[in-house]
């Protein structure tokens, strides 16, 4: 059985998947002896070469079944649950086939959701995904705790644990998702079935799309759909970009109406709009990340655990930011509880100080700011004080940042 995956880079999500067992004993128990001395997992038969092995994960409860044991990778003991390398088997199939399994264990195959569930509920398993591109470069994604629920939960991906490896984490975002196939749509996408649109079968969320503009409906039945830019690259994806600045091509010194509705192009620099930010953050619990870069190429991150923006009756007050973590320093926590201000509407905490005018931006000003990400786009160190796109704890009040990207994502 070949271990090479000759799939194009574009399709590496469905590649060789190997599950390694972390606690399986190599000693046969009396219970196992009663059931034909069958091993419970591939780790029980490491003295055998790679190949098909009959196992019984839960003696006395389930029936024995065949698996392909890889005894070569990292000392062996791996149960292969999916293998693809030449496109000889069609993987665009229905629920029953994905439940039972298909293909040949000597070639391309899918083990079957029933068996994957039984395996991962019998003991603690880790998951390794091995991927090769067409130039022969191999990447690895490893997850510490892989667990798939049973049929009553539509084989929900219950856990993947912690990620490590060289491929990047493109699976954690699917945790909590039910499995979907061409004939059973269990994804959370509002407009069409992901399995049909992307001609596959997976634990789809709002599909597995690449970064780009997406139409969403945060509160079905109450609000209207609107477009957002979804970042599916940073930390496994699922981020909604609410502000993006990188070249100064868009003027951010604007009035209340424009900040309320949003402006700019989602394919370039933009502000999503206070109305939409409010609706998003009141529909579910969101975290916020602010990605910043200086003109020397150094990047910094500010992360906040609970980002919440009130509605128009409270002047889009920054109700909460939660707990801070990151490398940029906390220059936003002090703005919690502040109303939003623009060049034509002064809502900062000191009424005789018009912060938006003085610092040529729009923000949740207090008296006045420790961050001004909607300030003037200026390059690096400048003599002007605090009017630029700045983050005090990162580069101070006399340095204009090169990029600013504010993104929010739901948290459980």
């Amino acid at each position: 059985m070949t271990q090479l995956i000759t799939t194009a880079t574009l399709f590496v999500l469905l590649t060789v998947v190997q599950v390694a067992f972390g606690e399986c004993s190599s000693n046969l128990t009396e219970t196992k002896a009663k059931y034909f001395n069958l091993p419970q997992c591939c780790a029980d038969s490491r003295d055998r070469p790679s190949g098909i092995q009959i196992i019984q994960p839960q003696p006395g409860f389930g029936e024995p079944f065949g698996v392909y044991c890889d005894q070569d990778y990292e000392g062996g003991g791996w149960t292969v649950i999916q293998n693809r390398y030449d496109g000889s088997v069609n993987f665009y199939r229905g629920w029953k086939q994905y439940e039972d399994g298909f293909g040949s264990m000597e070639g391309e195959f899918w083990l079957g959701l029933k068996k994957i569930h039984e395996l991962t509920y019998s003991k603690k398993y880790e998951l390794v995904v091995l991927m090769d591109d067409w130039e022969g470069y191999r990447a690895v994604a490893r997850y510490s705790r892989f667990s798939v629920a049973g049929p009553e939960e539509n084989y929900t991906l219950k856990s993947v644990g912690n990620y490590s490896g060289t491929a990047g984490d493109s699976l954690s975002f699917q945790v909590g998702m039910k499995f979907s196939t061409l004939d059973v749509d269990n994804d959370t996408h509002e407009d069409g079935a992901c399995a049909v649109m992307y001609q596959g079968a997976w634990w789809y969320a709002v599909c597995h799309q690449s970064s780009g503009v997406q139409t969403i409906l945060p509160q079905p039945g109450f609000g209207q759909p609107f477009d957002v830019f979804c970042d599916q690259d940073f930390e496994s994806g699922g981020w909604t970009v609410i502000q993006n600045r990188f070249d100064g091509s868009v003027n951010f010194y604007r009035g209340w109406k424009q900040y309320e509705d949003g402006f700019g192009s989602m394919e370039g620099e933009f502000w999503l709009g206070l109305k939409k930010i409010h609706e998003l953050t009141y529909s579910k619990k969101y975290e916020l990340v602010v990605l910043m870069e200086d003109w020397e190429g150094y990047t910094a991150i500010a992360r906040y655990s609970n980002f919440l923006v009130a509605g128009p009756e409270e002047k889009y007050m920054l109700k909460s930011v939660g707990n801070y973590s990151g490398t940029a320093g906390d220059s936003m926590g002090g703005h919690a509880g502040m109303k939003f201000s623009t060049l034509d509407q002064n809502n900062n905490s000191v009424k005789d100080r018009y912060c938006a005018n003085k610092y040529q931006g729009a923000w949740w000003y207090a008296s006045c700011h420790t961050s001004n990400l909607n300030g003037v786009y200026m390059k690096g160190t400048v003599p002007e004080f605090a009017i630029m796109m700045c983050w005090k704890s990162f580069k101070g009040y006399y340095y204009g940042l090169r990029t600013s990207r504010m993104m929010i994502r739901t948290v459980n």
Side-chain angles (χ1 to χ4, degrees):
M1 179 180 181
T2 182
Q3 291 300 313
L4 285 178
I5 317 157
T6 51
T7 52
T9 304
L10 186 61
F11 303 108
V12 296
L13 270 177
L14 296 179
T15 54
V16 173
V17 179
Q18 299 183 325
V19 181
F21 180 62
E23 300 176 355
C24 186
S25 170
S26 60
N27 298 319
L28 295 176
T29 63
E30 291 182 4
T31 303
K32 287 165 63 180
K34 180 181 177 182
Y35 287 89
F36 315 109
N37 263 4
L38 291 175
Q40 289 185 331
C41 62
C42 289
D44 275 346
S45 55
R46 295 189 190 193
D47 56 333
R48 299 182 58 176
S50 296
I52 296 173
Q53 170 72 49
I54 305 299
I55 65 170
Q56 191 170 25
Q58 303 184 72
F61 297 95
E63 295 297 319
F65 56 83
V67 296
Y68 190 97
C69 295
D70 185 314
Q71 307 295 7
D72 300 312
Y73 183 73
E74 289 190 352
W78 299 86
T79 302
V80 182
I81 64 172
Q82 186 241 46
N83 194 39
R84 302 187 73 180
Y85 57 90
D86 63 6
S88 58
V89 173
N90 174 27
F91 273 68
Y92 187 40
R93 300 190 180 219
W95 184 263
K96 187 69 167 60
Q97 289 176 293
Y98 266 96
E99 192 170 41
D100 295 340
F102 56 85
S104 166
M105 288 188 191
E106 297 292 351
E108 294 197 331
F109 72 92
W110 172 260
L111 181 61
L113 291 164
K114 286 180 182 177
K115 295 171 185 173
I116 296 170
H117 161 65
E118 185 173 344
L119 283 164
T120 61
Y121 267 54
S122 67
K123 298 278 187 178
K124 180 180 178 182
Y125 276 79
E126 66 174 325
L127 168 73
V128 166
V129 184
L130 306 179
M131 293 162 273
D132 285 353
D133 66 18
W134 287 93
E135 285 69 49
Y137 179 77
R138 169 159 287 188
V140 179
R142 184 187 297 266
Y143 298 90
S144 63
R145 181 69 174 97
F146 181 65
S147 178
V148 175
E152 67 285 348
E153 295 183 71
N154 292 311
Y155 302 104
T156 294
L157 182 59
K158 299 292 280 188
S159 170
V160 295
N162 298 319
Y163 162 81
S164 61
T166 59
D169 180 10
S170 288
L171 190 60
S172 293
F173 180 53
Q174 268 79 30
V175 171
M177 296 300 106
K178 299 173 182 177
F179 203 79
S180 291
T181 61
L182 65 86
D183 56 349
V184 176
D185 179 17
N186 289 317
D187 61 60
T188 58
H189 188 47
E190 297 288 343
D191 186 19
C194 297
V196 175
M197 287 191 289
Y198 295 99
Q199 299 182 37
W202 201 242
W203 294 278
Y204 294 112
V206 280
C207 301
H208 68 289
Q209 297 171 334
S210 58
S211 297
V213 179
Q214 170 74 45
T215 302
I216 64 171
L217 184 59
Q219 301 185 72
F222 296 94
Q224 295 300 313
F226 56 83
D227 289 344
V228 295
F229 189 97
C230 295
D231 185 313
Q232 307 293 11
D233 299 313
F234 182 73
E235 290 189 351
S236 79
W239 297 92
T240 301
V241 182
I242 63 173
Q243 185 245 40
N244 195 39
R245 303 186 72 181
F246 56 90
D247 64 5
S249 58
V250 174
N251 174 27
F252 272 67
Y253 189 39
R254 302 193 180 216
W256 184 263
K257 187 68 166 61
Q258 288 177 294
Y259 266 96
E260 193 171 40
D261 295 340
F263 57 85
S265 167
M266 287 187 188
E267 299 294 346
E269 293 198 329
F270 71 92
W271 172 260
L272 180 62
L274 291 165
K275 286 180 182 176
K276 296 171 185 174
I277 295 170
H278 161 66
E279 184 174 346
L280 283 163
T281 61
Y282 266 60
S283 66
K284 292 183 178 180
K285 183 180 179 181
Y286 277 81
E287 63 177 321
L288 166 74
V289 294
V290 183
L291 309 181
M292 293 164 268
E293 182 184 7
D294 67 16
W295 289 88
E296 288 70 49
Y298 181 77
T299 58
I301 298 174
R303 183 189 299 270
Y304 297 91
S305 62
N306 186 17
F307 181 67
L308 184 64
V309 175
E313 67 286 347
E314 295 183 78
K315 303 294 183 182
Y316 301 104
M317 178 187 290
L318 184 57
K319 300 287 282 188
S320 169
V321 293
N323 297 320
Y324 162 82
S325 61
T327 58
D330 180 9
S331 285
M332 196 163 183
H335 292 269
M338 298 299 106
K339 298 174 182 177
F340 203 80
S341 293
T342 61
L343 65 85
D344 57 351
Q345 190 162 149
N346 181 24
N347 293 314
N348 55 257
S349 61
V350 181
K351 291 303 179 182
D352 60 349
R353 300 185 69 182
Y354 208 140
C355 298
N357 282 350
K358 184 175 182 179
Y359 295 104
Q360 299 181 41
W363 200 242
W364 295 277
Y365 292 114
S367 61
C368 279
H369 73 76
T370 53
S371 56
N372 194 34
L373 295 183
N374 292 329
V376 182
Y377 190 84
M378 305 176 80
K379 184 175 180 178
T381 303
V382 295
E384 292 87 349
F385 176 76
I387 68 169
M388 70 290 293
M389 182 174 74
C390 63
W391 191 269
K392 180 187 177 184
S393 57
F394 177 37
K395 300 295 291 189
Y397 281 133
Y398 290 94
Y399 192 96
L401 299 172
R402 183 175 185 175
T403 67
S404 165
R405 189 177 180 93
M406 299 174 66
M407 306 191 298
I408 59 175
R409 183 170 69 177
T410 57
V411 292
N412 295 325

